[in-house]
Amino acid sequence: MVNIPFEIQDASDEDHQLIWNVAKEKRQYVQVGPSKYFYPKEYEDLGPICYNFKIRPDDVFVVNYPRSGSTWLSEMIWLINNNLDYATAKSIDVGCRFPLMDVSVVKLPKLEKERIKSLAEEERSKQVSKYFSTLFDEYSNITTRRFFKTHLPLSLLPPDLLDKAKVVYIARDPRDVFVSVYHLLKNRIYDDKPDEIWNLFRRGLLPWCPVFPHVKEGWAARDNPNLLFIFYEDVVNDLQGSLRRMASFFGKDLTDEQIHELCEHLRFDNIKKNEAVNQQETMAELGVCSGQSPFIRKGLIGDWRDHFSKDQAQEAEEWMRENIADSELKYSTF
């Protein structure tokens, strides 16, 4: 197994204390490489497994920072590449058709086993267990085309990924990303302290942080013919155009009627009602979300304005300007 070409360091005592002041569980964390990507200490064991995963030429990956639209995107990409098979899409969770390969990086193995065991009598237990699978040999044994999403940055994924696979990177306004992250984590992982959680996010002390280096890696690869870089806001504002662009990237030709039908399937209010996509029951069983904090919430552009104080809005603007000053990366919302 090839080692990750970056140093893995324990987070400082000061950073741990900032997290523990809000977190419901005292976990140990590490920071990876010069960007200081932030993960629970389990990454030391699981990170190299992800980095050494064997890529196939027909693999499809969605890469993004969490809460940037990857579930919605996974549904549209899977359908485009599977002859618009709505029957299968509605009968099997998108998380099983398009698994998050690095989910165990932020899950406690003991908790995973307990939850899977508790669901052993359920018909859906095999599907549910996929969410917490660290058995990458399961993925290796798949004989059909494989679809994965991941929240790891490109630098921590297999080095031959862009040489072999098709990759779609989706980015979203970090302020809206934070609001979505906050609603998912509050009361379950962290106390409901928005100011403190915002401070952790801004300082890069939440799992998969920091957000800007993550997005910049995707942006830097935007000219690679095997990578399609898109903004969440563009997909929301022009779904038809985004679907045509996506179909072209995968070498598919969709008729106007098929585009219209796919748009209707992907409308946000329809997605929220579609259990195979919103996965609310599954995610609640796994402890990922609750009725108060649904897995798929609003999907709005600019929702941060209803959550940030005037001072936070100014702080966020300065934070964004400072972090994209050295890049051609431009958010349409900034």
Side-chain angles (χ1 to χ4, degrees):
M1 183 177 291
V2 178
N3 290 328
I4 294 174
F6 301 111
E7 185 178 7
I8 301 176
Q9 294 183 319
D10 290 337
S12 68
D13 292 342
E14 178 185 358
D15 288 343
H16 273 113
Q17 195 57 56
L18 285 173
I19 298 164
W20 294 345
N21 287 340
V22 184
K24 293 183 178 295
E25 183 179 5
K26 289 188 175 182
R27 299 182 68 177
Q28 297 291 321
Y29 293 88
V30 296
Q31 293 175 312
V32 183
S35 295
K36 296 185 177 180
Y37 289 117
F38 197 78
Y39 303 107
K41 199 169 178 64
E42 285 79 10
Y43 178 84
E44 290 179 329
D45 295 322
L46 296 170
I49 297 176
C50 294
Y51 188 79
N52 285 275
F53 186 65
K54 301 301 181 185
I55 301 297
R56 295 178 187 167
D58 63 344
D59 283 342
V60 174
F61 276 73
V62 167
V63 181
N64 71 316
Y65 185 86
R67 311 305 289 174
S68 299
S70 60
T71 301
W72 192 36
L73 195 67
S74 297
E75 179 74 353
M76 66 178 72
I77 290 174
W78 190 92
L79 283 165
I80 287 172
N81 284 282
N82 285 275
N83 300 313
L84 302 179
D85 183 0
Y86 294 106
T88 299
K90 291 177 181 178
S91 63
I92 301 176
D93 282 2
V94 68
C96 299
R97 292 179 277 122
F98 222 121
L100 176 61
M101 70 178 297
D102 47 300
V103 67
S104 290
V105 171
V106 292
K107 289 292 178 183
L108 288 174
K110 181 180 178 181
L111 175 62
E112 296 167 14
K113 291 177 182 178
E114 288 176 351
R115 289 194 180 279
I116 291 171
K117 183 178 179 180
S118 69
L119 294 166
E121 301 297 323
E122 301 287 340
E123 289 183 5
R124 297 166 68 244
S125 62
K126 289 185 179 180
Q127 290 187 19
V128 170
S129 68
K130 294 287 186 182
Y131 288 98
F132 285 153
S133 177
T134 58
L135 302 176
F136 280 79
D137 55 342
E138 278 190 29
Y139 299 146
S140 299
N141 292 331
I142 295 175
T143 57
T144 54
R145 191 176 193 182
R146 302 183 305 183
F147 297 82
F148 300 105
K149 67 177 181 178
T150 175
H151 298 320
L152 293 172
L154 290 173
S155 60
L156 299 183
L157 291 169
D160 60 346
L161 175 65
L162 290 179
D163 295 328
K164 294 182 177 180
K166 286 286 190 180
V167 178
V168 180
Y169 190 102
I170 184 167
R172 185 184 187 185
D173 187 316
R175 294 166 294 188
D176 281 333
V177 167
F178 165 72
V179 171
S180 187
V181 167
Y182 159 69
H183 280 284
L184 187 69
L185 299 181
K186 69 175 183 177
N187 296 321
R188 187 180 55 83
I189 304 297
Y190 300 96
D191 295 329
D192 189 359
K193 298 179 179 179
D195 292 349
E196 286 86 344
I197 298 176
W198 163 246
N199 184 48
L200 293 177
F201 180 72
R202 187 172 54 85
R203 295 182 59 157
L205 299 179
L206 294 179
W208 285 298
C209 276
V211 62
F212 289 108
H214 197 302
V215 176
K216 285 179 181 178
E217 286 192 28
W219 179 255
R222 67 191 183 281
D223 293 330
N224 188 302
N226 280 335
L227 184 137
L228 175 64
F229 187 101
I230 60 176
F231 287 101
Y232 175 83
E233 292 78 11
D234 291 342
V235 180
V236 172
N237 289 327
D238 183 14
L239 182 55
Q240 284 196 23
S242 297
L243 290 177
R244 294 188 187 283
R245 187 181 175 197
M246 195 87 62
S248 176
F249 177 67
F250 287 107
K252 305 294 182 180
D253 187 18
L254 300 182
T255 66
D256 290 344
E257 183 179 356
Q258 287 173 321
I259 290 288
H260 176 77
E261 184 181 24
L262 187 53
C263 281
E264 185 67 17
H265 177 81
L266 293 168
R267 268 181 32 212
F268 205 78
D269 54 346
N270 286 335
I271 288 296
K272 289 200 72 169
K273 294 183 291 186
N274 185 343
E275 174 61 25
V277 181
N278 71 41
Q279 307 165 89
Q280 185 64 30
E281 181 181 344
T282 298
M283 292 299 181
E285 289 171 344
L286 296 173
V288 174
C289 63
S290 65
Q292 290 72 35
S293 299
F295 185 64
I296 292 181
R297 201 176 63 88
K298 291 184 178 180
L300 297 177
I301 297 173
D303 193 33
W304 63 270
R305 292 186 176 86
D306 293 331
H307 291 77
F308 283 29
S309 66
K310 183 178 179 179
D311 288 343
Q312 283 177 324
Q314 182 176 349
E315 183 179 59
E317 182 176 340
E318 294 172 355
W319 173 66
M320 289 184 67
R321 182 175 292 109
E322 176 184 341
N323 279 280
I324 62 175
D326 62 346
S327 171
E328 295 181 358
L329 173 67
K330 301 295 181 185
Y331 291 93
S332 62
T333 48
F334 182 70

